[in-house]
Amino acid sequence: FPSHDSTRASPDITDDTRTGFGRMVLGKKLNEAIDLELGAFFSEAGRIAYSGARVTSSEKISAEGLDFSLRHHIFSSSFFLRGGIHYSRLHRSGTAIESVLRFSDSQTQSGTGFLTGFGYEHTIMSSANDFLSIEYKHYDRIGGDRKADARVIALGYRRQF
């Protein structure tokens, strides 16, 4: 895609990388301090747009994948640390238009990376089986791309059976 406008006018670049992120989880409590989780995650498309005097272009980026992680409750409290790995796919599609010419391309790449995070969860409704949580997660190398990271702040509900 064009990196500059041939008329040398200042381009307008908009970047919307704040997107929705979802994750579904199956977990197993190994002991009082450690939980094992298998998750499936996805993101909405982030958008990057460029417009100059003669050229406009746009790119959409989305991701999906599976992760495997351990949650370690610190000192048997409600605070926890997370560490694990993920396998993910990164989808990119873009279009560039100059005068009457239109160029389109799409790419999907896949690969592995690490997952780290920390959070807090608390029981709700006087039930030992229902939890609300807030968590920060960092997925590095989405789709195996060393420049594609995801930083996620998540609010969640968990029911333990």
Side-chain angles (χ1 to χ4, degrees):
F1 297 107
S3 61
H4 68 282
D5 189 347
S6 60
T7 63
R8 300 194 189 273
S10 296
D12 289 329
I13 299 173
T14 58
D15 183 356
D16 180 15
T17 57
R18 295 178 187 216
T19 64
F21 187 91
R23 182 173 182 256
M24 297 186 318
V25 178
L26 290 173
K28 171 80 173 144
K29 189 171 210 50
L30 298 179
N31 58 42
E32 285 301 312
I34 297 177
D35 301 328
L36 181 66
E37 290 186 353
L38 176 63
F41 63 90
F42 61 91
S43 75
E44 296 177 330
R47 301 181 198 296
I48 300 171
Y50 164 91
S51 62
R54 295 180 52 194
V55 177
T56 61
S57 66
S58 64
E59 182 179 18
K60 295 179 187 175
I61 304 168
S62 63
E64 61 191 31
L66 298 173
D67 64 58
F68 178 75
S69 62
L70 292 173
R71 286 189 340 158
H72 182 266
H73 292 268
I74 305 167
F75 307 116
S76 299
S77 73
S78 297
F79 293 97
F80 59 87
L81 299 174
R82 177 183 301 279
I85 58 173
H86 68 83
Y87 171 80
S88 55
R89 288 190 300 236
L90 183 64
H91 307 284
R92 291 182 170 125
S93 62
T95 303
I97 301 170
E98 182 173 6
S99 300
V100 295
L101 299 174
R102 180 183 180 105
F103 305 95
S104 295
D105 190 22
S106 64
Q107 178 186 36
T108 299
Q109 64 188 70
S110 58
T112 59
F114 293 103
L115 163 63
T116 57
F118 60 90
Y120 175 83
E121 75 177 1
H122 189 69
T123 57
I124 57 172
M125 296 185 264
S126 301
S127 168
N129 296 326
D130 295 304
F131 300 87
L132 284 179
S133 65
I134 184 165
E135 182 174 6
Y136 170 83
K137 289 190 270 281
H138 179 244
Y139 290 82
D140 81 323
R141 301 178 63 96
I142 298 287
D145 185 334
R146 64 182 173 86
K147 294 183 180 179
D149 293 352
R151 291 168 295 282
V152 178
I153 296 174
L155 298 174
Y157 168 78
R158 181 172 67 93
R159 179 157 183 96
Q160 184 172 298
F161 297 101

